[in-house]
């Protein structure tokens, strides 16, 4: 399957789409990019207002997600590095009510997700992957590959 290729997500940061993932057209480029494969989505952007280390930025993102959904639970935060870039990741499960029609307008469903922050040369890259409950496992390897591909345009 074709890949979306190397894509800018903000600042000088890029991500490489895994095979089979397609770029979803966005109306607002400042919101980064969205990739889709089947029922799974990956949103990636650089937050120019985010400051601090990967764990701090991740905690800020967790707080903003907590405010926006009906109910969300996060797994333990995992800290690490990709090459020289500091990372923080956490899985989540959320009960969401769709208003944009993605799960049927006004319907409620459970999604599994993963939230990751990668600090690339002082820029906070934020990646949020999500899929209907049970569907995320099928793309876990792709997500790990794409998170590892985050870096600076060369």
């Amino acid at each position: 399957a074709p890949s979306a290729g190397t894509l800018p997500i903000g600042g000088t940061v890029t991500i490489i789409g895994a095979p089979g993932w397609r770029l979803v057209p966005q109306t607002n480029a400042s919101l980064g990019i969205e990739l889709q494969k089947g029922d799974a989505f990956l949103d990636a952007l650089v937050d120019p207002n985010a400051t601090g280390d990967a764990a701090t930025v991740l905690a800020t993102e967790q707080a903003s997600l907590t405010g926006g959904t009906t109910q969300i639970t996060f797994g333990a935060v995992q800290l690490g590095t990709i090459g020289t870039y500091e990372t923080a990741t956490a899985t989540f499960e959320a009960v969401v009510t769709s208003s944009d029609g993605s799960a049927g307008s006004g319907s409620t469903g459970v999604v599994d997700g993963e939230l990751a922050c990668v600090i690339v040369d002082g820029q906070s890259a934020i990646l949020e992957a999500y899929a209907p409950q049970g569907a995320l496992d099928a793309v876990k390897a792709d997500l790990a590959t794409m998170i590892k591909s985050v870096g600076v345009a060369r």
Side-chain angles (χ1 to χ4, degrees):
S3 157
T6 301
L7 301 162
I9 62 170
T12 59
V13 183
T14 60
I15 190 169
I16 300 170
W21 287 76
R22 67 175 188 84
L23 186 62
V24 177
Q26 292 286 72
T27 51
N28 186 344
S30 69
L31 299 177
I33 64 161
E34 183 171 69
L35 295 170
Q36 178 183 8
K37 182 178 183 179
D39 290 332
F41 292 88
L42 174 68
D43 295 339
L45 63 90
V46 169
D47 184 346
N49 302 313
T51 55
D53 60 14
T56 303
V57 174
L58 187 75
T60 303
E61 289 303 311
Q62 286 176 310
S64 73
L65 283 178
T66 302
T69 57
T70 314
Q71 180 184 343
I72 189 164
T73 3
F74 288 97
V77 173
Q78 305 290 321
L79 301 178
T81 55
I82 295 168
T84 58
Y85 305 138
E86 179 189 353
T87 64
T89 58
T91 57
F92 64 87
E93 182 178 280
V95 177
V96 295
T97 302
S98 173
S99 57
D100 66 1
S102 59
S105 191
S107 68
T108 301
V110 179
V111 298
D112 292 332
E114 186 170 338
L115 186 62
C117 172
V118 184
I119 306 295
V120 179
D121 297 347
Q123 302 169 94
S124 301
I126 296 155
L127 303 129
E128 181 185 349
Y130 54 94
Q133 191 171 32
L136 197 66
D137 287 345
V139 295
K140 281 264 193 202
D142 284 353
L143 294 175
T145 300
M146 288 190 287
I147 291 168
K148 286 186 176 115
S149 80
V150 170
V152 176
R154 305 241 181 276

